[in-house]
């Protein structure tokens, strides 16, 4: 069975990754992973490991991974928001049909504050977007 071994492996961590060059074609017949860089997704920094100099191929692989990772994280964030909407609907159903008075007492104030905060942010953002659209149409 032939297994394709990638040239690079990215060990994800909070806010970035460690980059390894993979060597599967050596005389020992084992996979060797040599750490070549660290990526900080927040700042966009790519720091070579030690005194290593990254090749153009290294940079290309890293930049491709960063672009793919950003897309994945953005997709996950939207999925989380869509799940939150589902959870809010489930919470409304629970509050209306299943919750006891004691359970409602435990969560009502916190839920109302969180919903008020969310509503305030959404209304402010929507008003800003509508104002921007009106300004653009007026031009």
């Amino acid at each position: 069975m032939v297994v394709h071994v990638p040239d690079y492996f990215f060990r994800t961590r909070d806010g970035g990754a460690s980059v390894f060059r993979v060597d599967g074609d050596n005389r020992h017949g084992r996979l060797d992973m040599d750490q070549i860089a660290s990526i900080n997704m927040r700042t966009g920094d790519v720091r070579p490991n030690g005194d290593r100099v990254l090749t153009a191929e290294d940079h290309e692989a890293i930049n491709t991974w960063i672009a793919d990772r950003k897309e994945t994280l953005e997709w996950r964030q939207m999925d989380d928001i869509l799940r939150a909407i589902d959870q809010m609907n489930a919470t409304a159903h629970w509050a209306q049909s299943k919750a006891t008075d004691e359970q409602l007492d435990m969560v009502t104030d916190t839920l109302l504050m969180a919903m008020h905060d969310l509503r305030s942010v959404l209304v402010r953002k929507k008003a800003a977007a509508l104002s921007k659209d009106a300004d653009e149409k007026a031009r």
Side-chain angles (χ1 to χ4, degrees):
M1 180 166 122
V2 177
V3 176
H4 171 70
V5 177
D7 294 330
Y8 297 92
F9 173 72
F10 296 84
R11 180 192 298 154
T12 58
R13 57 179 163 72
D14 216 19
S18 298
V19 184
F20 295 86
R21 186 176 295 122
V22 179
D23 178 13
D25 190 26
N26 56 55
R27 65 185 180 118
H28 302 292
R30 66 174 182 240
L31 284 180
D32 288 331
M33 295 190 347
D34 184 26
Q35 185 173 357
I36 62 170
S38 294
I39 301 170
N40 183 327
M41 292 291 289
R42 288 182 206 101
T43 64
D45 281 349
V46 176
R47 287 192 336 248
N49 196 34
D51 57 358
R52 180 177 306 278
V53 176
L54 299 177
T55 66
E57 184 180 286
D58 296 338
H59 282 290
E60 182 180 338
I62 290 168
N63 291 336
T64 299
W65 182 86
I66 289 172
D68 290 347
R69 184 69 177 166
K70 284 180 181 179
E71 186 177 312
T72 297
L73 293 174
E74 288 171 5
W75 179 85
R76 285 183 183 168
Q77 187 175 36
M78 285 305 301
D79 187 54
D80 288 346
I81 299 305
L82 294 171
R83 288 175 191 261
I85 293 167
D86 288 344
Q87 194 61 45
M88 289 172 62
N89 289 325
T91 302
H93 178 71
W94 168 82
Q96 185 175 29
S97 63
K98 297 178 183 176
T100 65
D101 289 343
E102 294 81 22
Q103 290 172 324
L104 287 172
D105 283 344
M106 289 175 57
V107 299
T108 297
D109 291 340
T110 305
L111 272 171
L112 287 172
M113 290 302 296
M115 291 179 351
H116 175 73
D117 181 38
L118 177 59
R119 183 183 183 283
S120 297
V121 169
L122 293 174
V123 167
R124 189 170 51 249
K125 290 286 197 170
K126 185 71 169 184
L130 291 173
S131 176
K132 181 180 174 185
D133 286 347
D135 288 347
E136 289 175 0
K137 288 180 182 177
R139 291 183 188 167

